[in-house]
Amino acid sequence: MSAVPVPEPTALADVHTPGRHLRLEYKWIKASRQDAPLLVFLHEGLGSVSMWKDWPRQACEAAGCRGLVYSRRGYGRSTPLAAGEKRPVDFMHHEALEVLPALLAALGIDAKRDRPILFGHSDGGSIALLYAAMHPGAVAGVVVAAPHIFVEDRTVAHIEQARQAYRDTELRARLARHHDDVDSAFCGWNDVWLDPAFRRWNIEEHLPRITCPVLAMQGVDDEYGTLEQIRGIRRAAPQTQLLEIPDCRHSPHKDQPATVIQAIAGFVGALDQPGRPTGSP
């Protein structure tokens, strides 16, 4: 019988951004592999370190990477939002421009030398795309699963349904197992997405500035967005590879984990080809 892997411990990083000091929960995967590519995982709008479960380790093993998983502010064990605080409409831009670079620096990662590969799911995918556009010299590649590049009616409708479920079902109790301040996590995500001003949120103008290779994947049955989300990425960044996954909803790494892991491993392996120019498909 094979041994059950021992989970890597989590810790809190002191992260300084303009005007704010944060403590962000993080976890290393196979940190001793200093010569291996670094794969950074960016969670969805209700995610956290613990909600990924063991999947990042499996992805790192398949791709030959070391990994970094972290909880954004308001999630997991990280600094919660202040009472009554609302996220601004451009919160994902802020995460990409300031918070992720500050976290990498706080953990001793020189992103321009040891360029990470980002894997982002949903909101995390949008942040990964923005980071690649804003810091083109500090990323080797981006893999996004069910990202958002603009707001669709179906997205808003399902987020409204999530608000009702949070009030009327066991959803709040289930999420509370993963977040120290569950209301900060849920309301911080739900309130901004349902803010009428957020309907104008759109990151398409940033995408042409992405120069690194991109793999954009989405479930054909995604309840939170149409396939125009990833097809729009390729129109703006032609080096993007698309993977449209049948029998799959909004969480490809949960619905079709083997397919996603195989795709990540192939993508990372292609980045390692000698002489491969940055930004080639």
Side-chain angles (χ1 to χ4, degrees):
M1 179 180 295
S2 60
V4 176
V6 177
E8 293 83 356
T10 65
L12 294 173
D14 287 300
V15 176
H16 297 272
T17 63
R20 194 184 298 275
H21 168 235
L22 306 175
R23 304 199 77 198
L24 298 183
E25 178 189 24
Y26 71 96
K27 178 175 74 172
W28 286 109
I29 299 170
K30 302 294 184 181
S32 60
R33 296 176 174 174
Q34 289 298 309
D35 294 332
L38 174 61
L39 186 55
V40 180
F41 295 84
L42 289 79
H43 62 73
E44 62 180 303
L46 290 176
S48 68
V49 169
S50 65
M51 285 189 71
W52 285 108
K53 299 184 178 178
D54 192 47
W55 188 83
R57 184 194 61 80
Q58 297 174 36
C60 286
E61 288 284 0
C65 292
R66 56 197 164 103
L68 173 64
V69 189
Y70 76 102
S71 299
R72 296 192 298 275
R73 178 176 175 244
Y75 300 97
R77 296 172 53 212
S78 294
T79 300
L81 301 181
E85 181 181 357
K86 305 292 185 183
R87 292 191 187 276
V89 169
D90 63 350
F91 76 96
M92 287 187 257
H93 294 69
H94 172 68
E95 289 286 338
L97 180 63
E98 296 180 350
V99 181
L100 180 53
L103 172 65
L104 296 176
L107 296 177
I109 299 166
D110 182 348
K112 290 187 176 181
R113 179 184 60 82
D114 189 12
R115 296 185 303 152
I117 303 158
L118 306 183
F119 176 87
H121 174 222
S122 192
D123 283 12
S126 305
I127 295 167
L129 293 168
L130 286 166
Y131 176 94
M134 295 172 175
H135 310 279
V139 60
V142 172
V143 183
V144 291
H148 307 284
I149 62 171
F150 58 91
V151 180
E152 295 182 283
D153 289 342
R154 75 160 65 181
T155 312
V156 174
H158 278 84
I159 291 174
E160 288 174 340
Q161 292 175 19
R163 172 176 285 184
Q164 196 66 36
Y166 190 74
R167 293 170 176 167
D168 299 339
T169 73
E170 295 181 354
L171 176 59
R172 185 180 187 278
R174 295 200 304 270
L175 290 173
R177 295 196 291 266
H178 300 282
H179 304 288
D180 284 353
D181 187 334
V182 66
D183 292 332
S184 171
F186 184 84
C187 297
W189 164 76
N190 197 260
D191 288 353
V192 69
W193 269 94
L194 296 183
D195 184 334
F198 198 76
R199 294 302 294 262
R200 298 189 296 274
W201 177 90
N202 187 304
I203 65 170
E204 290 174 286
E205 65 178 310
H206 297 278
L207 302 179
R209 296 203 294 271
I210 298 175
T211 59
C212 68
V214 179
L215 170 61
M217 63 181 73
Q218 188 171 6
V220 171
D221 307 310
D222 189 342
E223 69 274 29
Y224 280 93
T226 70
L227 292 170
E228 271 303 299
Q229 298 289 344
I230 62 170
R231 292 171 181 174
I233 298 171
R234 186 164 66 178
R235 284 195 296 271
Q239 75 274 22
T240 301
Q241 305 169 48
L242 297 187
L243 178 60
E244 299 175 4
I245 308 174
D247 192 25
C248 179
R249 288 164 59 89
H250 187 60
S251 299
H253 64 289
K254 296 179 182 178
D255 293 348
Q256 298 290 348
T259 297
V260 176
I261 287 175
Q262 182 180 22
I264 292 173
F267 180 80
V268 173
L271 294 178
D272 292 339
Q273 292 177 0
R276 180 186 178 86
T278 299
S280 65

